[in-house]
Amino acid sequence: MPSPVHGAIPLRPCACDPVGSRGRRIREPPAPWRDDYQRDRDRIVHSTAFRRLVYKTQVFLNHEGDLFRTRLTHSLEVAQLARAIARPLGLNETLCEAIALAHDLGHTPFGHAGQEALDACLREVDSHGAGFEHNFQSLRVVDVLEQRYPAFDGLNLTFETREGILKHCSLHHARALEVAEPGGVGRRFIERTRPSLEAQICNVADEIAYSAHDIDDGVRSGLVTMQQLLEVPTLREVHDAVRAEHSAANGRRMLFEVIRRTLSKQVHDLVDASARRLDAAVPATPDDARRLPPMILFGEDVAREVREIKAFLRLNLYRHPRVVATTDVGRKVIRDLFHAYVDRPNEMPQEHAVREPRPAAVVDYVAGMTDRFALREHERLHGPGVTAALRHVLDGGTGVAPAD
Ligand code: MG
């Protein structure tokens, strides 16, 4: 494998190439200076949904402080990592960047709690439906919900970017996509093939990014201590190596160095292990790679370490009583808004109020909200109780059922 620091690395034949793209759903003349994946990335950056990511929760609510990750900074970190992985592998950096920047566009306010609440609401009113899936919603954002062009809905992105955005998809949604677009982005969930190698990179880059930044945010919030982190054998090992080299390193510098080295270790291992797989399988085209088993994977040892870190975060951060208490408030806000708009659609802007079926219109409206807009709407419709409950949790109270 060529060294990533010396000049341009040629694309592998299995890399997605904009010249061989399956193209856009609506044909457009080529741009004079940009290839189709650059153009996709630029459309995503200029979209309204992208700007909203700055006020959407990753793990910590937007209200908890200015230095925590939001969906926007998370997406930027995923894009950085995905490019850093794609380049030495000879895969398409720009496509990775476009997919990574768009991968969370369909996330509801209040992180996973918001998503679960919206899913439960939708299933209550339509028990035979597919419920709410944030990856499917991300695709809806770029295919339908963004309204910026006179000639079409959505951003009219290339197949390869849309394929990468649709990371998971239930069979129910996949079949609906297949009807609307035969042989399109839903097909692989029916045929059980893989997405492009660039899409596979973004999926792993997402995991690497959130594990690393959730450690940082976890310690910053005071919910996790350095001492606890050292219970994870791989983090202890990295910490001890830093200590051996920098005996005075402490506090945040020590934490950053542990995170930095852990990130580097994961990225280097992923690149090495994936390059070995690709060198052995030698897929000749992007479609060949789609028919192979997953190629972008860690080696065995680092895969185990990544699992250990994720298990630690699940136990000590995501299930921390304060995180649970804040996300319970988020869940309630989403639930209340959904039912309020289904019962009184005219509380929504006209373009949403007139749409049928109504639950789907409500889902699109609520999913698009930022955390703070959702809270403001809740206060408008239900009074200040929930905001007070949230303030109570953020001031140190936990496990309190949010007031009605
Ligand atoms: Mg993500």
Side-chain angles (χ1 to χ4, degrees), residues 58 71 74 78 103-104 107 206 210:
Q58 182 67 25
R71 290 252 165 233
H74 163 71
V78 176
H103 86 283
D104 273 351
H107 257 288
D206 190 14
Y210 71 67

Side-chain angles (χ1 to χ4, degrees), residues 244-308:
E245 279 175 52
H246 305 278
S247 57
N250 244 323
R252 298 211 59 79
R253 282 179 202 258
M254 171 58 93
L255 176 67
F256 287 145
E257 186 62 9
V258 169
I259 293 173
R260 194 180 68 77
R261 290 191 189 197
T262 304
L263 264 179
S264 297
K265 184 180 181 186
Q266 292 177 2
V267 168
H268 293 169
D269 177 80
L270 182 68
V271 170
D272 289 341
S274 305
R276 278 199 299 277
R277 270 185 210 97
L278 288 170
D279 291 344
V282 209
T285 64
D287 277 343
D288 269 0
R290 290 183 174 99
R291 285 187 288 266
L292 289 169
M295 290 280 113
I296 309 297
L297 297 169
F298 296 112
E300 238 170 72
D301 290 349
V302 171
R304 192 191 56 249
E305 293 171 8
V306 169
R307 279 197 300 274
E308 284 171 6

Side-chain angles (χ1 to χ4, degrees), residues 60-74:
F60 292 91
L61 295 195
N62 227 229
H63 296 64
E64 296 189 62
D66 294 340
L67 297 177
F68 295 115
R69 267 68 175 188
T70 65
R71 290 252 165 233
L72 180 67
T73 57
H74 163 71

Side-chain angles (χ1 to χ4, degrees), residues 83-315:
R83 292 186 61 162
I85 295 160
R87 189 156 186 261
L89 283 173
L91 298 172
N92 197 304
E93 261 186 87
T94 315
L95 175 59
C96 282
E97 189 181 19
I99 295 170
L101 293 176
H103 86 283
D104 273 351
L105 288 181
H107 257 288
T108 62
F110 311 116
H112 284 281
Q115 179 195 325
E116 285 162 16
L118 209 47
D119 183 52
C121 290
L122 203 49
R123 286 174 192 281
E124 269 172 41
V125 295
D126 178 12
S127 56
H128 301 296
F132 179 84
E133 298 175 319
H134 72 261
N135 295 123
F136 184 76
Q137 191 70 13
S138 297
L139 186 70
R140 268 187 71 68
V141 168
V142 300
D143 277 359
V144 181
L145 298 177
E146 280 288 323
Q147 296 182 343
R148 316 183 66 80
Y149 295 88
F152 47 77
D153 284 340
L155 304 177
N156 196 30
L157 303 180
T158 62
F159 171 87
E160 294 77 21
T161 302
R162 297 173 58 239
E163 171 195 38
I165 292 171
L166 195 62
K167 175 179 170 183
H168 298 296
C169 184
S170 63
L171 211 48
H172 192 293
H173 274 145
R175 291 201 177 114
L177 283 169
E178 182 64 19
V179 170
E181 183 192 355
V185 291
R187 176 69 66 89
R188 77 179 176 88
F189 298 96
I190 299 166
E191 293 185 343
R192 295 174 177 277
T193 54
R194 257 61 51 196
S196 71
L197 296 166
E198 286 80 1
Q200 295 182 37
I201 286 178
C202 290
N203 296 344
V204 186
D206 190 14
E207 281 182 49
I208 297 176
Y210 71 67
S211 291
H213 64 51
D214 289 349
I215 292 175
D216 182 13
D217 284 353
V219 174
R220 184 184 299 281
S221 65
L223 302 187
V224 173
T225 64
M226 191 70 185
Q227 218 45 46
Q228 278 177 293
L229 284 181
L230 300 184
E231 292 164 12
V232 183
T234 177
L235 297 180
R236 154 77 67 182
E237 206 176 287
V238 175
H239 169 273
D240 291 351
V242 178
R243 172 69 69 237
E245 279 175 52
H246 305 278
S247 57
N250 244 323
R252 298 211 59 79
R253 282 179 202 258
M254 171 58 93
L255 176 67
F256 287 145
E257 186 62 9
V258 169
I259 293 173
R260 194 180 68 77
R261 290 191 189 197
T262 304
L263 264 179
S264 297
K265 184 180 181 186
Q266 292 177 2
V267 168
H268 293 169
D269 177 80
L270 182 68
V271 170
D272 289 341
S274 305
R276 278 199 299 277
R277 270 185 210 97
L278 288 170
D279 291 344
V282 209
T285 64
D287 277 343
D288 269 0
R290 290 183 174 99
R291 285 187 288 266
L292 289 169
M295 290 280 113
I296 309 297
L297 297 169
F298 296 112
E300 238 170 72
D301 290 349
V302 171
R304 192 191 56 249
E305 293 171 8
V306 169
R307 279 197 300 274
E308 284 171 6
I309 293 173
K310 284 163 88 171
F312 171 86
L313 286 170
R314 213 166 25 247
L315 199 64

Side-chain angles (χ1 to χ4, degrees), residues 21 25 29 33 44 70 104 148 159 171 216 241 249 262 276 323 325 333 345 359 371-372 378 390 404:
S21 169
R25 290 193 298 169
W33 304 290
I44 291 159
T70 65
D104 273 351
R148 316 183 66 80
F159 171 87
L171 211 48
D216 182 13
T262 304
R276 278 199 299 277
V323 171
V333 169
D371 293 12
R372 59 187 196 163
H378 195 279
L390 186 60
D404 271 311

